[in-house]
Amino acid sequence: MFKKILIANRGEIACRVIKTARRMGIQTVAVYSDADARAPFVQMADEAVHIGPAPAAQSYLIADKIIQACKQTGAEAVHPGYGFLSERTSFAEALAAEGIEFIGPPVGAIAAMGDKIESKKLAKQAGVNVVPGFVGEIEDTEHAVRISNEIGYPVMMKASAGGGGKGMRLAYDEKDVREGFESVKREGLNSFGDDRVFIEKFILNPRHIEIQILGDKHGNILYLNERECSIQRRHQKVVEEAPSPFVTEKMRKAMGEQCVALSRAVGYYSAGTVELIVSGADPTGESFYFLEMNTRLQVEHPVTEAITGVDLVEQMIRVAAGEKLEMTQADVKIDGWAIENRVYAEDPYRGFLPSTGRLVRYNPPVDGWTDDGEENGRRGVDGIRVDDGVYEGGEVSMFYDPMIAKLITWGETRDEAADKQVAALDRFEIEGLGHNIDFVSAIMQHPRFRSGELTTGFIAEEYPEGFTGAPAPEDLKGKLAAVAAFVATARADRARRVEGQLAPHRLAPPSEWTVTIDKAAYEVVIDDEDVTVNGVEVELAMEYTPGDRLIEAEIDGESIAVRVAPTRTGLKMTTRGAIHDVRILPTRVASLASHMIEKIPPDLSKFLICPMPGLLVALHVAEGDKVEAGQPLAVVEAMKMENILRAEKSGVVKAVNAKAGESLAVDAVILEME
C-alpha cells in the first residue's frame, strides 16, 4: 500500500480523498493556487505545495507542476479527483514516465472513453446502442448547420473533451446552431484545451441513468447499481439519487451487464461511470443509449456509497496499489435510498446567475462528513451527510466551479430521504452570496419529483418563468405567522427593558399582532398561556433570543426550522424552499399601514447590466447601432460558462461603457439604450 499520495484537485473532493487516505494510514499532499491558500483541504493535508496563480490554466491544469510537487514531497501516487486533469491521457502518461502511480484507469481506457467522439465509435463497434449523430471532424459553422439539418432537430452540440455540463448547447433550429457552435468550441478550448465538437440527436423526454463501474487490475469488473441524474440545469446535474425510481431489476441487470462488457473491452479498472440516456416514454427501459463514460470518480458518488456501503475512494486507492476486489457482483446490494443535492453559489431568484463572494456565514445542518470507516458512517449523521470544502469567512471564487457543498441524505424509502433533504436544507445557513437552497428544497417537495416522473427537462418544464419560491400552503403560513408574532413579542419585551423611557413604569409588550404574509393578514394573539391565529388556538413550543438567525419550533406537533432576518417592518423568513417578506405590526396600528405610499422601482430596461461578476468576452454592438428585441448584445464568461446577454426591447445604442476583455462587477452597466 502507498505511504503517501498527492491529490491533484481542490475543494470538497480534495477533502473527501484526504479523509479516506487518513483513515487508511496514508499521508497526503495537497496542491493549491493563490486563491486556495487558506482553503480547508490545504489545512487538512499533511503537506501542501503552492502551484501558481488562481486561474486553473496556470495552476491545477499544469501537469508539470503536479509532477514536480510529487518529486518534492515523495508522493508515490496521485488521485486526480474529478475535473481538471482527471481524464487527461497526457497526464496519466506523464505520471507513468516518472514512476508515479495514477489512482484511476489505464491510459488506454482514458483515451478510448474520455474522448466522446472516439468512445461513440468504440461503443458502436462493440454493439452498444448509441444516439444517432455525427462523430467525425466538424470543419466550421456551415458544416455544423448541414449536419444538424441532416440529423433533424433538436440536436445537441458537445465539446469532444467536455464534461460537467460545460461545452454543450441544445439547438432547436439553424439559428441556434449558428449562435452556439463557436461558443461550444471556445468553452471546450478554454476548459479542456480541445475545441473539437460533435453533434447528435437530442432524445425527447430523456432520463439520465448512469451505472457505477468498479474494476481491478486482475480482470474483475462489477457494476454497483445505478444513479438517476435526470434533474439538470444547463446540462449540469442538480439532484442525484440511487437507486432510480424508473429502473427495474431486469433493466438494472441489462444495463449493468452491457456497461461491464463495454468496460472490459477497453481493459478498464478503478472507478468509472457509464452514462446512459433512456427514453422516458418507454417503460420497458429497453430504449437506452450509450452517452459517454466518465473515467473518474463522479461528484455524485456518495449516493452509491450510501446504498451499497462501498467506499469508492478507498477501492480506487486499493486497486491502484494492485489489490484484488474483495467483493463479487452477488455482494452488491441496495439498502434504502439516497439523494444528493448540489448546493451551488447561484441565485435562482435572478435566473440562476452565478454568485461569487465571501461566505459571511456558513453553517451546515450537520458537521462536515468524517470518514470513520463504518459502513453506515457513509450515510453521515442520522442519514444526513455534508461533503464540503469551504469555511465561514472564505471566498467562493469566480475561477472555479460554483459548488459550495453536497447534501446527501439516506432513508429506508425515497420519500424519507427526500423529507430529510427538506428538513436539512431548512437548517442550512449561508449568507454573503446567492445560493440555490430554496430551489433544491422546492424540487424535493414537488409532486412530480415525488412521483418519480422525471426527465432532463424537469426544471425547464416546471419552472418556465423562472423560480420565485416554493408555493406555501395555508397551514404553513399560519404557523409562520405564529412564529413571527412570538419573535415580535420577544423583541418588544427586550425594548421595554431599556432604561430611561418616558413612561413611569415599563410598558407591557403588545399581545395582539397583525402579521401579513404574501398579502394575507393573520390576527395573532399571544398571552401567557395561549397562542391563537385567526381565533384558532395553536400549540407553539420555541425559544428565541433577539439576534437568533435560525429558529426551530414545534407547532401542533410538527417541527419546523425557519431562517430569520429583521427588516424595517418585520422579518424575512425563509423555510420550505421560499423567502417570505413578513410585515408585523401591533393590531391597534396595523390599519394605518394602508396610508403608506408604495415606492415605485426605477426603470432599468434601457440599460444592459452585467448580471454576475465575469469577463466580457465579446461585445456585438457599437454606439449608434440599431438593435431588435432578443438580439445578442454581449457575451459574459463566469464560472467557466459563457452567458449570452440579449436586448430586452428594440432601440438604438446610446453609449457603450465597457469593452471586450474587461472584468466586470455584478450590476455593472455595459451599455445604455436610447
Side-chain angles (χ1 to χ4, degrees):
M1 181 50 65
F2 308 117
K3 293 181 179 178
K4 184 184 290 188
I5 66 173
L6 181 146
I7 297 93
N9 218 297
R10 62 176 300 280
E12 67 86 15
I13 187 57
C15 294
R16 165 73 182 89
V17 176
I18 290 169
K19 289 171 184 175
T20 291
R22 178 187 292 167
R23 175 175 58 78
M24 296 174 69
I26 301 171
Q27 288 190 312
T28 56
V29 179
V31 291
Y32 65 93
S33 70
D34 290 344
D36 286 331
R38 298 181 181 178
F41 76 94
V42 176
Q43 309 299 321
M44 194 179 295
D46 296 298
E47 298 175 66
V49 179
H50 177 250
I51 55 170
Q58 300 174 43
S59 50
Y60 296 106
L61 286 172
I62 298 181
D64 289 346
K65 291 187 176 183
I66 306 297
I67 292 171
Q68 182 57 41
C70 288
K71 292 179 178 179
Q72 178 183 330
T73 59
E76 306 158 79
V78 171
H79 195 300
Y82 48 72
F84 293 141
L85 296 171
S86 62
E87 295 179 284
R88 291 274 186 92
T89 54
S90 58
F91 180 54
E93 288 170 342
L95 289 173
E98 297 290 343
I100 302 167
E101 194 67 38
F102 180 68
I103 303 176
V107 172
I110 300 174
M113 294 285 101
D115 185 311
K116 290 184 173 65
I117 292 175
E118 294 304 318
S119 66
K120 285 186 178 297
K121 291 179 180 177
L122 183 65
K124 201 169 185 178
Q125 291 168 4
V128 178
N129 289 342
V130 297
V131 180
F134 184 84
V135 293
E137 291 282 343
I138 299 176
E139 300 164 7
D140 53 26
T141 300
E142 292 304 322
H143 190 195
V145 168
R146 290 198 302 273
I147 291 168
S148 301
N149 289 338
E150 290 171 6
I151 295 172
Y153 296 99
V155 298
M156 180 69 77
M157 298 179 288
K158 294 184 181 180
S160 179
K166 297 174 181 66
M168 302 174 71
R169 286 288 190 282
L170 181 58
Y172 286 95
D173 52 34
E174 182 177 319
K175 178 172 173 284
D176 290 344
V177 175
R178 292 187 183 280
E179 282 188 8
F181 181 73
E182 289 299 327
S183 281
V184 173
K185 290 189 69 173
R186 281 196 300 270
E187 285 184 8
L189 186 62
N190 291 341
S191 295
F192 311 103
D194 187 341
D195 69 351
R196 290 177 302 151
V197 175
F198 71 94
I199 298 177
E200 66 185 9
K201 180 74 174 177
F202 183 71
I203 305 299
L204 295 173
N205 299 322
R207 298 183 77 122
H208 186 119
I209 308 293
E210 56 189 35
I211 302 294
Q212 176 67 58
I213 294 295
L214 181 63
D216 62 24
K217 295 180 180 180
H218 305 276
N220 302 303
I221 305 178
L222 313 175
Y223 64 92
L224 274 61
N225 306 314
E226 82 285 349
R227 297 183 288 260
E228 174 138 4
C229 309
S230 294
I231 297 184
Q232 306 175 6
R233 195 188 68 77
R234 292 186 68 176
H235 317 296
Q236 182 88 30
K237 298 168 189 173
V238 176
V239 181
E240 299 107 351
E241 60 182 308
S244 163
F246 180 71
V247 174
T248 64
E249 186 57 43
K250 180 181 177 183
M251 292 162 59
R252 182 175 298 118
K253 188 172 186 293
M255 291 175 178
E257 290 178 352
Q258 185 167 327
C259 293
V260 166
L262 179 62
S263 302
R264 198 176 299 282
V266 293
Y268 201 89
Y269 55 76
S270 193
T273 296
V274 180
E275 300 198 354
L276 306 171
I277 192 165
V278 185
S279 173
D282 182 3
T284 68
E286 294 176 359
S287 300
F288 64 88
Y289 304 93
F290 171 78
L291 196 60
E292 63 180 320
M293 184 172 189
N294 290 312
T295 56
R296 54 170 169 79
L297 193 66
Q298 294 273 97
V299 176
E300 58 271 24
H301 74 272
V303 293
T304 295
E305 294 182 331
I307 67 165
T308 63
V310 177
D311 185 327
L312 287 168
V313 171
E314 177 182 349
Q315 292 302 318
M316 291 180 75
I317 295 172
R318 293 191 180 281
V319 166
E323 295 185 13
K324 285 186 177 181
L325 294 178
E326 294 184 352
M327 71 192 88
T328 66
Q329 191 63 58
D331 296 325
V332 180
K333 307 295 184 185
I334 297 178
D335 181 13
W337 214 288
I339 298 174
E340 174 180 298
N341 274 302
R342 302 188 188 189
V343 178
Y344 280 128
E346 61 183 14
D347 190 345
Y349 294 100
R350 298 184 65 194
F352 298 94
L353 294 175
S355 180
T356 59
R358 194 162 300 284
L359 281 166
V360 175
R361 185 169 180 80
Y362 177 74
N363 187 24
V366 297
D367 290 337
W369 177 75
T370 55
D371 188 355
D372 59 8
E374 296 296 321
E375 181 176 322
N376 288 345
R378 292 186 247 297
R379 297 170 182 167
V381 180
D382 297 326
I384 301 173
R385 169 177 165 179
V386 173
D387 283 18
D388 59 17
V390 299
Y391 64 100
E392 189 168 281
E395 189 171 357
V396 176
S397 168
M398 66 178 283
F399 296 104
Y400 312 118
D401 188 89
M403 189 166 67
I404 299 172
K406 303 186 306 196
L407 176 66
I408 303 101
T409 55
W410 178 90
E412 294 284 353
T413 65
R414 187 170 183 265
D415 278 342
E416 183 185 343
D419 288 343
K420 286 184 177 180
Q421 281 282 341
V422 175
L425 289 164
D426 278 348
R427 292 163 175 80
F428 216 130
E429 295 180 79
I430 297 176
E431 295 178 14
L433 42 70
H435 56 75
N436 68 337
I437 286 176
D438 288 351
F439 180 63
V440 291
S441 178
I443 292 175
M444 293 296 98
Q445 301 170 66
H446 200 290
R448 181 175 164 188
F449 174 80
R450 292 301 180 112
S451 74
E453 296 297 320
L454 311 178
T455 71
T456 55
F458 177 94
I459 291 176
E461 292 160 8
E462 299 301 327
Y463 303 97
E465 303 300 322
F467 179 71
T468 56
E474 191 62 32
D475 66 324
L476 176 60
K477 293 181 185 179
K479 292 171 182 175
L480 290 179
V483 171
F486 188 97
V487 169
T489 302
R491 291 168 66 183
D493 185 59
R494 183 182 67 170
R496 78 186 180 92
R497 298 176 187 275
V498 176
E499 292 293 338
Q501 298 190 45
L502 293 177
H505 304 288
R506 288 176 179 158
L507 298 174
S511 60
E512 298 181 7
W513 300 90
T514 297
V515 181
T516 305
I517 305 175
D518 300 335
K519 298 183 179 180
Y522 298 84
E523 302 300 329
V524 185
V525 178
I526 295 183
D527 59 30
D528 293 336
E529 301 295 331
D530 302 309
V531 177
T532 62
V533 179
N534 289 343
V536 178
E537 185 175 339
V538 299
E539 293 184 12
L540 173 64
M542 62 174 279
E543 292 183 4
Y544 173 77
T545 301
D548 287 352
R549 295 181 177 90
L550 179 67
I551 296 172
E552 298 201 37
E554 186 169 304
I555 309 175
D556 292 338
E558 181 185 1
S559 296
I560 183 172
V562 187
R563 299 191 299 278
V564 297
T567 62
R568 189 172 58 84
T569 58
L571 294 171
K572 183 170 75 172
M573 306 180 76
T574 306
T575 189
R576 303 293 170 88
I579 299 172
H580 302 277
D581 286 315
V582 180
R583 190 180 69 190
I584 314 166
L585 295 172
T587 297
R588 60 187 175 80
V589 299
S591 60
L592 302 176
S594 61
H595 299 289
M596 298 297 290
I597 299 173
E598 186 175 348
K599 185 177 180 180
I600 300 173
D603 179 16
L604 300 176
S605 63
K606 66 178 182 178
F607 297 105
L608 180 67
I609 296 173
C610 188
M612 80 289 281
L615 179 70
L616 184 58
V617 175
L619 190 61
H620 300 308
V621 294
E623 188 175 324
D625 288 355
K626 291 182 179 180
V627 299
E628 299 296 331
Q631 178 179 332
L633 300 180
V635 178
V636 174
E637 181 186 305
M639 298 290 187
K640 299 185 286 186
M641 300 285 280
E642 290 192 357
N643 303 272
I644 300 174
L645 307 184
R646 302 175 185 274
E648 290 187 13
K649 58 185 180 181
S650 301
V652 177
V653 179
K654 179 181 178 182
V656 176
N657 301 329
K659 59 183 178 181
E662 285 187 8
S663 293
L664 302 177
V666 64
D667 293 334
V669 176
I670 299 173
L671 57 84
E672 182 180 352
M673 307 286 290
E674 288 184 354

